[in-house]
PDB file of all heavy atoms in Angstrom:
ATOM      1  N   ASN A   1      -2.898  11.049   3.961  1.00 84.00           N
ATOM      2  CA  ASN A   1      -1.791  10.935   2.984  1.00 84.00           C
ATOM      3  C   ASN A   1      -1.571   9.450   2.617  1.00 84.00           C
ATOM      4  O   ASN A   1      -0.402   8.931   2.413  1.00 84.00           O
ATOM      5  CB  ASN A   1      -0.504  11.472   3.521  1.00 84.00           C
ATOM      6  CG  ASN A   1      -0.586  12.973   3.680  1.00 84.00           C
ATOM      7  OD1 ASN A   1      -1.111  13.659   2.761  1.00 84.00           O
ATOM      8  ND2 ASN A   1      -0.137  13.586   4.807  1.00 84.00           N
ATOM      9  N   ILE A   2      -2.595   8.700   2.532  1.00 87.00           N
ATOM     10  CA  ILE A   2      -2.506   7.316   2.000  1.00 87.00           C
ATOM     11  C   ILE A   2      -2.626   7.226   0.573  1.00 87.00           C
ATOM     12  O   ILE A   2      -2.065   6.393  -0.132  1.00 87.00           O
ATOM     13  CB  ILE A   2      -3.636   6.440   2.752  1.00 87.00           C
ATOM     14  CG1 ILE A   2      -3.484   6.446   4.248  1.00 87.00           C
ATOM     15  CG2 ILE A   2      -3.699   5.076   2.134  1.00 87.00           C
ATOM     16  CD1 ILE A   2      -4.553   5.773   5.046  1.00 87.00           C
ATOM     17  N   VAL A   3      -3.458   8.070  -0.099  1.00 87.00           N
ATOM     18  CA  VAL A   3      -3.754   8.262  -1.404  1.00 87.00           C
ATOM     19  C   VAL A   3      -3.488   9.603  -1.911  1.00 87.00           C
ATOM     20  O   VAL A   3      -3.831  10.717  -1.273  1.00 87.00           O
ATOM     21  CB  VAL A   3      -5.131   7.912  -1.781  1.00 87.00           C
ATOM     22  CG1 VAL A   3      -5.406   7.990  -3.243  1.00 87.00           C
ATOM     23  CG2 VAL A   3      -5.489   6.424  -1.337  1.00 87.00           C
ATOM     24  N   SER A   4      -2.800   9.796  -3.107  1.00 84.00           N
ATOM     25  CA  SER A   4      -2.608  11.060  -3.584  1.00 84.00           C
ATOM     26  C   SER A   4      -3.657  11.368  -4.550  1.00 84.00           C
ATOM     27  O   SER A   4      -4.505  10.559  -4.861  1.00 84.00           O
ATOM     28  CB  SER A   4      -1.280  11.069  -4.418  1.00 84.00           C
ATOM     29  OG  SER A   4      -1.349  10.368  -5.732  1.00 84.00           O
ATOM     30  N   SER A   5      -3.748  12.739  -5.036  1.00 80.00           N
ATOM     31  CA  SER A   5      -4.853  13.195  -5.979  1.00 80.00           C
ATOM     32  C   SER A   5      -4.671  12.512  -7.333  1.00 80.00           C
ATOM     33  O   SER A   5      -5.540  12.539  -8.074  1.00 80.00           O
ATOM     34  CB  SER A   5      -4.765  14.640  -5.982  1.00 80.00           C
ATOM     35  OG  SER A   5      -3.567  15.085  -6.556  1.00 80.00           O
ATOM     36  N   SER A   6      -3.564  11.855  -7.628  1.00 79.00           N
ATOM     37  CA  SER A   6      -3.255  11.232  -8.840  1.00 79.00           C
ATOM     38  C   SER A   6      -3.617   9.655  -8.716  1.00 79.00           C
ATOM     39  O   SER A   6      -3.587   8.970  -9.668  1.00 79.00           O
ATOM     40  CB  SER A   6      -1.894  11.418  -9.260  1.00 79.00           C
ATOM     41  OG  SER A   6      -1.044  10.704  -8.388  1.00 79.00           O
ATOM     42  N   GLY A   7      -4.011   9.359  -7.484  1.00 82.00           N
ATOM     43  CA  GLY A   7      -4.363   7.862  -7.277  1.00 82.00           C
ATOM     44  C   GLY A   7      -3.334   6.969  -6.684  1.00 82.00           C
ATOM     45  O   GLY A   7      -3.509   5.806  -6.574  1.00 82.00           O
ATOM     46  N   GLU A   8      -2.140   7.510  -6.529  1.00 83.00           N
ATOM     47  CA  GLU A   8      -1.068   6.665  -6.034  1.00 83.00           C
ATOM     48  C   GLU A   8      -1.314   6.307  -4.464  1.00 83.00           C
ATOM     49  O   GLU A   8      -1.734   7.145  -3.773  1.00 83.00           O
ATOM     50  CB  GLU A   8       0.305   7.266  -6.248  1.00 83.00           C
ATOM     51  CG  GLU A   8       0.726   7.634  -7.593  1.00 83.00           C
ATOM     52  CD  GLU A   8       2.074   8.291  -7.737  1.00 83.00           C
ATOM     53  OE1 GLU A   8       3.060   7.729  -7.340  1.00 83.00           O
ATOM     54  OE2 GLU A   8       2.037   9.402  -8.044  1.00 83.00           O
ATOM     55  N   ILE A   9      -0.888   5.124  -4.115  1.00 85.00           N
ATOM     56  CA  ILE A   9      -1.162   4.768  -2.709  1.00 85.00           C
ATOM     57  C   ILE A   9       0.192   4.747  -2.008  1.00 85.00           C
ATOM     58  O   ILE A   9       1.229   4.205  -2.417  1.00 85.00           O
ATOM     59  CB  ILE A   9      -1.797   3.263  -2.732  1.00 85.00           C
ATOM     60  CG1 ILE A   9      -3.087   3.244  -3.383  1.00 85.00           C
ATOM     61  CG2 ILE A   9      -1.847   2.797  -1.105  1.00 85.00           C
ATOM     62  CD1 ILE A   9      -3.724   1.864  -3.536  1.00 85.00           C
ATOM     63  N   PHE A  10       0.221   5.411  -0.975  1.00 82.00           N
ATOM     64  CA  PHE A  10       1.509   5.624  -0.164  1.00 82.00           C
ATOM     65  C   PHE A  10       1.357   4.985   1.213  1.00 82.00           C
ATOM     66  O   PHE A  10       0.650   5.543   2.135  1.00 82.00           O
ATOM     67  CB  PHE A  10       1.882   7.094   0.095  1.00 82.00           C
ATOM     68  CG  PHE A  10       2.002   7.782  -1.326  1.00 82.00           C
ATOM     69  CD1 PHE A  10       1.257   8.695  -1.852  1.00 82.00           C
ATOM     70  CD2 PHE A  10       3.119   7.538  -2.044  1.00 82.00           C
ATOM     71  CE1 PHE A  10       1.358   9.385  -3.059  1.00 82.00           C
ATOM     72  CE2 PHE A  10       3.508   8.201  -3.130  1.00 82.00           C
ATOM     73  CZ  PHE A  10       2.546   9.079  -3.662  1.00 82.00           C
ATOM     74  N   LEU A  11       1.893   3.863   1.443  1.00 82.00           N
ATOM     75  CA  LEU A  11       1.878   3.196   2.774  1.00 82.00           C
ATOM     76  C   LEU A  11       3.147   3.102   3.392  1.00 82.00           C
ATOM     77  O   LEU A  11       3.347   2.335   4.431  1.00 82.00           O
ATOM     78  CB  LEU A  11       1.171   1.846   2.596  1.00 82.00           C
ATOM     79  CG  LEU A  11      -0.190   1.828   2.163  1.00 82.00           C
ATOM     80  CD1 LEU A  11      -0.806   0.386   2.044  1.00 82.00           C
ATOM     81  CD2 LEU A  11      -1.137   2.530   3.256  1.00 82.00           C
ATOM     82  N   ASP A  12       4.125   3.728   2.840  1.00 83.00           N
ATOM     83  CA  ASP A  12       5.517   3.568   3.359  1.00 83.00           C
ATOM     84  C   ASP A  12       5.714   3.939   4.818  1.00 83.00           C
ATOM     85  O   ASP A  12       6.336   3.248   5.582  1.00 83.00           O
ATOM     86  CB  ASP A  12       6.463   4.408   2.511  1.00 83.00           C
ATOM     87  CG  ASP A  12       6.661   4.058   1.189  1.00 83.00           C
ATOM     88  OD1 ASP A  12       6.277   2.797   0.727  1.00 83.00           O
ATOM     89  OD2 ASP A  12       7.117   4.781   0.331  1.00 83.00           O
ATOM     90  N   LYS A  13       4.980   5.026   5.240  1.00 79.00           N
ATOM     91  CA  LYS A  13       5.204   5.411   6.608  1.00 79.00           C
ATOM     92  C   LYS A  13       4.638   4.280   7.652  1.00 79.00           C
ATOM     93  O   LYS A  13       4.981   4.019   8.599  1.00 79.00           O
ATOM     94  CB  LYS A  13       4.403   6.672   6.975  1.00 79.00           C
ATOM     95  CG  LYS A  13       3.066   6.824   6.776  1.00 79.00           C
ATOM     96  CD  LYS A  13       2.523   8.287   7.070  1.00 79.00           C
ATOM     97  CE  LYS A  13       1.031   8.287   6.727  1.00 79.00           C
ATOM     98  NZ  LYS A  13       0.634   9.742   6.879  1.00 79.00           N
ATOM     99  N   TYR A  14       3.527   3.517   7.120  1.00 77.00           N
ATOM    100  CA  TYR A  14       3.026   2.401   7.717  1.00 77.00           C
ATOM    101  C   TYR A  14       3.864   1.192   7.801  1.00 77.00           C
ATOM    102  O   TYR A  14       3.972   0.480   8.656  1.00 77.00           O
ATOM    103  CB  TYR A  14       1.506   2.152   7.375  1.00 77.00           C
ATOM    104  CG  TYR A  14       0.662   3.334   7.459  1.00 77.00           C
ATOM    105  CD1 TYR A  14       0.385   4.138   6.404  1.00 77.00           C
ATOM    106  CD2 TYR A  14       0.125   3.660   8.623  1.00 77.00           C
ATOM    107  CE1 TYR A  14      -0.529   5.175   6.551  1.00 77.00           C
ATOM    108  CE2 TYR A  14      -0.773   4.712   8.960  1.00 77.00           C
ATOM    109  CZ  TYR A  14      -1.080   5.530   7.844  1.00 77.00           C
ATOM    110  OH  TYR A  14      -1.873   6.602   7.991  1.00 77.00           O
ATOM    111  N   TYR A  15       4.468   0.985   6.623  1.00 78.00           N
ATOM    112  CA  TYR A  15       5.463  -0.078   6.534  1.00 78.00           C
ATOM    113  C   TYR A  15       6.629   0.140   7.371  1.00 78.00           C
ATOM    114  O   TYR A  15       7.088  -0.757   8.074  1.00 78.00           O
ATOM    115  CB  TYR A  15       5.926  -0.142   4.989  1.00 78.00           C
ATOM    116  CG  TYR A  15       4.804  -0.601   4.024  1.00 78.00           C
ATOM    117  CD1 TYR A  15       5.006  -0.184   2.723  1.00 78.00           C
ATOM    118  CD2 TYR A  15       3.840  -1.457   4.269  1.00 78.00           C
ATOM    119  CE1 TYR A  15       4.056  -0.550   1.733  1.00 78.00           C
ATOM    120  CE2 TYR A  15       2.853  -1.837   3.345  1.00 78.00           C
ATOM    121  CZ  TYR A  15       3.000  -1.338   2.148  1.00 78.00           C
ATOM    122  OH  TYR A  15       2.148  -1.688   1.123  1.00 78.00           O
ATOM    123  N   ASP A  16       7.117   1.301   7.304  1.00 79.00           N
ATOM    124  CA  ASP A  16       8.404   1.705   8.134  1.00 79.00           C
ATOM    125  C   ASP A  16       8.164   1.564   9.537  1.00 79.00           C
ATOM    126  O   ASP A  16       9.073   1.167  10.316  1.00 79.00           O
ATOM    127  CB  ASP A  16       8.937   3.054   7.785  1.00 79.00           C
ATOM    128  CG  ASP A  16       9.282   3.222   6.294  1.00 79.00           C
ATOM    129  OD1 ASP A  16       9.532   2.233   5.698  1.00 79.00           O
ATOM    130  OD2 ASP A  16       9.430   4.349   5.810  1.00 79.00           O
ATOM    131  N   THR A  17       6.950   1.910  10.021  1.00 77.00           N
ATOM    132  CA  THR A  17       6.774   1.899  11.526  1.00 77.00           C
ATOM    133  C   THR A  17       6.244   0.460  11.952  1.00 77.00           C
ATOM    134  O   THR A  17       6.232   0.239  13.005  1.00 77.00           O
ATOM    135  CB  THR A  17       5.650   2.893  12.061  1.00 77.00           C
ATOM    136  OG1 THR A  17       4.427   2.690  11.215  1.00 77.00           O
ATOM    137  CG2 THR A  17       6.128   4.322  11.673  1.00 77.00           C
ATOM    138  N   GLY A  18       5.969  -0.435  10.986  1.00 76.00           N
ATOM    139  CA  GLY A  18       5.623  -1.709  11.357  1.00 76.00           C
ATOM    140  C   GLY A  18       4.086  -1.914  11.553  1.00 76.00           C
ATOM    141  O   GLY A  18       3.630  -3.042  11.962  1.00 76.00           O
ATOM    142  N   VAL A  19       3.328  -0.872  11.413  1.00 73.00           N
ATOM    143  CA  VAL A  19       1.876  -0.958  11.639  1.00 73.00           C
ATOM    144  C   VAL A  19       1.220  -1.924  10.580  1.00 73.00           C
ATOM    145  O   VAL A  19       0.460  -2.618  10.777  1.00 73.00           O
ATOM    146  CB  VAL A  19       1.176   0.459  11.530  1.00 73.00           C
ATOM    147  CG1 VAL A  19      -0.304   0.309  11.336  1.00 73.00           C
ATOM    148  CG2 VAL A  19       1.793   1.349  12.533  1.00 73.00           C
ATOM    149  N   ILE A  20       1.838  -1.873   9.315  1.00 76.00           N
ATOM    150  CA  ILE A  20       1.488  -2.757   8.276  1.00 76.00           C
ATOM    151  C   ILE A  20       2.550  -3.588   7.811  1.00 76.00           C
ATOM    152  O   ILE A  20       3.681  -3.094   7.566  1.00 76.00           O
ATOM    153  CB  ILE A  20       0.864  -1.943   7.086  1.00 76.00           C
ATOM    154  CG1 ILE A  20      -0.311  -1.137   7.489  1.00 76.00           C
ATOM    155  CG2 ILE A  20       0.348  -2.782   5.971  1.00 76.00           C
ATOM    156  CD1 ILE A  20      -0.959  -0.246   6.391  1.00 76.00           C
ATOM    157  N   ASP A  21       2.314  -4.849   7.646  1.00 81.00           N
ATOM    158  CA  ASP A  21       3.315  -5.839   7.205  1.00 81.00           C
ATOM    159  C   ASP A  21       3.484  -5.715   5.598  1.00 81.00           C
ATOM    160  O   ASP A  21       2.479  -6.160   5.024  1.00 81.00           O
ATOM    161  CB  ASP A  21       3.094  -7.282   7.587  1.00 81.00           C
ATOM    162  CG  ASP A  21       4.070  -8.267   7.085  1.00 81.00           C
ATOM    163  OD1 ASP A  21       5.130  -7.805   6.498  1.00 81.00           O
ATOM    164  OD2 ASP A  21       3.969  -9.453   7.390  1.00 81.00           O
ATOM    165  N   GLU A  22       4.577  -5.091   5.157  1.00 80.00           N
ATOM    166  CA  GLU A  22       4.566  -4.801   3.759  1.00 80.00           C
ATOM    167  C   GLU A  22       4.460  -6.108   2.877  1.00 80.00           C
ATOM    168  O   GLU A  22       3.825  -6.197   1.781  1.00 80.00           O
ATOM    169  CB  GLU A  22       5.794  -4.040   3.401  1.00 80.00           C
ATOM    170  CG  GLU A  22       6.053  -3.739   1.963  1.00 80.00           C
ATOM    171  CD  GLU A  22       7.280  -2.942   1.630  1.00 80.00           C
ATOM    172  OE1 GLU A  22       8.077  -2.673   2.564  1.00 80.00           O
ATOM    173  OE2 GLU A  22       7.610  -2.561   0.609  1.00 80.00           O
ATOM    174  N   PHE A  23       5.179  -7.072   3.319  1.00 84.00           N
ATOM    175  CA  PHE A  23       5.210  -8.270   2.609  1.00 84.00           C
ATOM    176  C   PHE A  23       3.791  -9.003   2.517  1.00 84.00           C
ATOM    177  O   PHE A  23       3.594  -9.849   1.568  1.00 84.00           O
ATOM    178  CB  PHE A  23       6.291  -9.373   3.060  1.00 84.00           C
ATOM    179  CG  PHE A  23       7.568  -8.724   3.086  1.00 84.00           C
ATOM    180  CD1 PHE A  23       8.310  -8.163   4.125  1.00 84.00           C
ATOM    181  CD2 PHE A  23       8.282  -8.578   1.743  1.00 84.00           C
ATOM    182  CE1 PHE A  23       9.585  -7.697   4.055  1.00 84.00           C
ATOM    183  CE2 PHE A  23       9.500  -8.022   1.698  1.00 84.00           C
ATOM    184  CZ  PHE A  23      10.197  -7.490   2.756  1.00 84.00           C
ATOM    185  N   ALA A  24       3.044  -8.700   3.560  1.00 83.00           N
ATOM    186  CA  ALA A  24       1.714  -9.441   3.515  1.00 83.00           C
ATOM    187  C   ALA A  24       0.702  -8.582   2.755  1.00 83.00           C
ATOM    188  O   ALA A  24      -0.158  -9.135   2.072  1.00 83.00           O
ATOM    189  CB  ALA A  24       1.154  -9.582   4.958  1.00 83.00           C
ATOM    190  N   VAL A  25       0.801  -7.247   2.819  1.00 84.00           N
ATOM    191  CA  VAL A  25      -0.189  -6.328   2.211  1.00 84.00           C
ATOM    192  C   VAL A  25       0.065  -5.896   0.829  1.00 84.00           C
ATOM    193  O   VAL A  25      -0.868  -5.771  -0.076  1.00 84.00           O
ATOM    194  CB  VAL A  25      -0.366  -5.087   3.133  1.00 84.00           C
ATOM    195  CG1 VAL A  25      -1.210  -4.074   2.555  1.00 84.00           C
ATOM    196  CG2 VAL A  25      -0.931  -5.405   4.495  1.00 84.00           C
ATOM    197  N   ALA A  26       1.295  -5.685   0.487  1.00 86.00           N
ATOM    198  CA  ALA A  26       1.637  -5.141  -0.831  1.00 86.00           C
ATOM    199  C   ALA A  26       1.113  -6.083  -1.993  1.00 86.00           C
ATOM    200  O   ALA A  26       0.529  -5.601  -2.988  1.00 86.00           O
ATOM    201  CB  ALA A  26       3.168  -5.053  -1.089  1.00 86.00           C
ATOM    202  N   PRO A  27       1.229  -7.424  -1.841  1.00 89.00           N
ATOM    203  CA  PRO A  27       0.651  -8.198  -2.904  1.00 89.00           C
ATOM    204  C   PRO A  27      -0.987  -8.026  -3.074  1.00 89.00           C
ATOM    205  O   PRO A  27      -1.478  -8.127  -4.186  1.00 89.00           O
ATOM    206  CB  PRO A  27       0.959  -9.571  -2.524  1.00 89.00           C
ATOM    207  CG  PRO A  27       2.126  -9.382  -1.670  1.00 89.00           C
ATOM    208  CD  PRO A  27       1.934  -8.257  -0.947  1.00 89.00           C
ATOM    209  N   LYS A  28      -1.506  -7.867  -1.933  1.00 89.00           N
ATOM    210  CA  LYS A  28      -3.182  -7.703  -1.890  1.00 89.00           C
ATOM    211  C   LYS A  28      -3.359  -6.356  -2.573  1.00 89.00           C
ATOM    212  O   LYS A  28      -4.382  -6.208  -3.286  1.00 89.00           O
ATOM    213  CB  LYS A  28      -3.506  -7.755  -0.473  1.00 89.00           C
ATOM    214  CG  LYS A  28      -3.406  -9.089   0.081  1.00 89.00           C
ATOM    215  CD  LYS A  28      -3.795  -9.229   1.603  1.00 89.00           C
ATOM    216  CE  LYS A  28      -3.530 -10.664   2.127  1.00 89.00           C
ATOM    217  NZ  LYS A  28      -3.752 -10.677   3.547  1.00 89.00           N
ATOM    218  N   ILE A  29      -2.590  -5.315  -2.305  1.00 88.00           N
ATOM    219  CA  ILE A  29      -2.917  -4.036  -2.974  1.00 88.00           C
ATOM    220  C   ILE A  29      -2.752  -4.080  -4.352  1.00 88.00           C
ATOM    221  O   ILE A  29      -3.531  -3.593  -5.114  1.00 88.00           O
ATOM    222  CB  ILE A  29      -1.959  -2.875  -2.267  1.00 88.00           C
ATOM    223  CG1 ILE A  29      -2.247  -2.619  -0.778  1.00 88.00           C
ATOM    224  CG2 ILE A  29      -1.945  -1.620  -3.147  1.00 88.00           C
ATOM    225  CD1 ILE A  29      -1.294  -1.703  -0.206  1.00 88.00           C
ATOM    226  N   ASN A  30      -1.678  -4.810  -4.858  1.00 90.00           N
ATOM    227  CA  ASN A  30      -1.469  -4.985  -6.250  1.00 90.00           C
ATOM    228  C   ASN A  30      -2.453  -5.699  -6.970  1.00 90.00           C
ATOM    229  O   ASN A  30      -2.950  -5.413  -8.048  1.00 90.00           O
ATOM    230  CB  ASN A  30      -0.069  -5.678  -6.545  1.00 90.00           C
ATOM    231  CG  ASN A  30       1.090  -4.661  -6.108  1.00 90.00           C
ATOM    232  OD1 ASN A  30       0.982  -3.421  -6.269  1.00 90.00           O
ATOM    233  ND2 ASN A  30       2.223  -5.269  -5.815  1.00 90.00           N
ATOM    234  N   ARG A  31      -3.074  -6.793  -6.318  1.00 92.00           N
ATOM    235  CA  ARG A  31      -4.134  -7.464  -6.754  1.00 92.00           C
ATOM    236  C   ARG A  31      -5.411  -6.590  -7.033  1.00 92.00           C
ATOM    237  O   ARG A  31      -6.152  -6.679  -7.966  1.00 92.00           O
ATOM    238  CB  ARG A  31      -4.453  -8.690  -5.976  1.00 92.00           C
ATOM    239  CG  ARG A  31      -5.512  -9.673  -6.585  1.00 92.00           C
ATOM    240  CD  ARG A  31      -5.979 -10.777  -5.767  1.00 92.00           C
ATOM    241  NE  ARG A  31      -6.831 -10.271  -4.619  1.00 92.00           N
ATOM    242  CZ  ARG A  31      -8.102  -9.794  -4.801  1.00 92.00           C
ATOM    243  NH1 ARG A  31      -8.588  -9.598  -5.989  1.00 92.00           N
ATOM    244  NH2 ARG A  31      -8.694  -9.313  -3.830  1.00 92.00           N
ATOM    245  N   CYS A  32      -5.718  -5.856  -5.903  1.00 92.00           N
ATOM    246  CA  CYS A  32      -6.904  -4.958  -5.857  1.00 92.00           C
ATOM    247  C   CYS A  32      -6.645  -3.833  -7.005  1.00 92.00           C
ATOM    248  O   CYS A  32      -7.761  -3.576  -7.650  1.00 92.00           O
ATOM    249  CB  CYS A  32      -7.101  -4.382  -4.516  1.00 92.00           C
ATOM    250  SG  CYS A  32      -7.453  -5.528  -3.289  1.00 92.00           S
ATOM    251  N   ARG A  33      -5.586  -3.384  -7.168  1.00 91.00           N
ATOM    252  CA  ARG A  33      -5.379  -2.373  -8.186  1.00 91.00           C
ATOM    253  C   ARG A  33      -5.632  -2.890  -9.536  1.00 91.00           C
ATOM    254  O   ARG A  33      -6.239  -2.279 -10.300  1.00 91.00           O
ATOM    255  CB  ARG A  33      -3.816  -1.880  -8.186  1.00 91.00           C
ATOM    256  CG  ARG A  33      -3.494  -0.885  -7.269  1.00 91.00           C
ATOM    257  CD  ARG A  33      -2.096  -0.346  -7.443  1.00 91.00           C
ATOM    258  NE  ARG A  33      -1.685   0.578  -6.450  1.00 91.00           N
ATOM    259  CZ  ARG A  33      -0.336   0.720  -6.043  1.00 91.00           C
ATOM    260  NH1 ARG A  33       0.468  -0.075  -6.639  1.00 91.00           N
ATOM    261  NH2 ARG A  33      -0.006   1.567  -5.106  1.00 91.00           N
ATOM    262  N   TYR A  34      -5.150  -4.164  -9.793  1.00 93.00           N
ATOM    263  CA  TYR A  34      -5.255  -4.774 -11.039  1.00 93.00           C
ATOM    264  C   TYR A  34      -6.896  -5.056 -11.264  1.00 93.00           C
ATOM    265  O   TYR A  34      -7.285  -4.863 -12.349  1.00 93.00           O
ATOM    266  CB  TYR A  34      -4.558  -6.068 -11.123  1.00 93.00           C
ATOM    267  CG  TYR A  34      -4.596  -6.848 -12.450  1.00 93.00           C
ATOM    268  CD1 TYR A  34      -3.922  -6.376 -13.408  1.00 93.00           C
ATOM    269  CD2 TYR A  34      -5.552  -7.927 -12.500  1.00 93.00           C
ATOM    270  CE1 TYR A  34      -3.999  -7.055 -14.653  1.00 93.00           C
ATOM    271  CE2 TYR A  34      -5.623  -8.517 -13.791  1.00 93.00           C
ATOM    272  CZ  TYR A  34      -4.788  -8.020 -14.834  1.00 93.00           C
ATOM    273  OH  TYR A  34      -5.107  -8.694 -16.147  1.00 93.00           O
ATOM    274  N   GLU A  35      -7.540  -5.512 -10.195  1.00 94.00           N
ATOM    275  CA  GLU A  35      -8.806  -5.837 -10.380  1.00 94.00           C
ATOM    276  C   GLU A  35      -9.713  -4.607 -10.791  1.00 94.00           C
ATOM    277  O   GLU A  35     -10.749  -4.700 -11.501  1.00 94.00           O
ATOM    278  CB  GLU A  35      -9.366  -6.360  -9.108  1.00 94.00           C
ATOM    279  CG  GLU A  35     -10.953  -6.923  -9.130  1.00 94.00           C
ATOM    280  CD  GLU A  35     -11.321  -7.383  -7.812  1.00 94.00           C
ATOM    281  OE1 GLU A  35     -10.558  -7.866  -6.986  1.00 94.00           O
ATOM    282  OE2 GLU A  35     -12.585  -7.467  -7.585  1.00 94.00           O
TER     283      GLU A  35
END
């Protein structure tokens, strides 16, 4: 459940639990999406 069938990326559960630092990763995801 990281990616939906429409291509949306869902990392909220990882952000909420602290596994992934949202402020560090979100800009990188956005740059990769744009690329």
Side-chain angles (χ1 to χ4, degrees):
N1 296 316
I2 296 172
V3 175
S4 72
S5 60
S6 63
E8 294 178 72
I9 298 173
F10 298 108
L11 295 176
D12 292 341
K13 65 182 175 184
Y14 298 100
Y15 295 151
D16 294 344
T17 59
V19 173
I20 297 175
D21 180 6
E22 180 176 3
F23 297 108
V25 174
K28 293 175 183 176
I29 291 174
N30 289 334
R31 188 193 67 71
C32 293
R33 278 186 187 153
Y34 182 78
E35 184 177 340

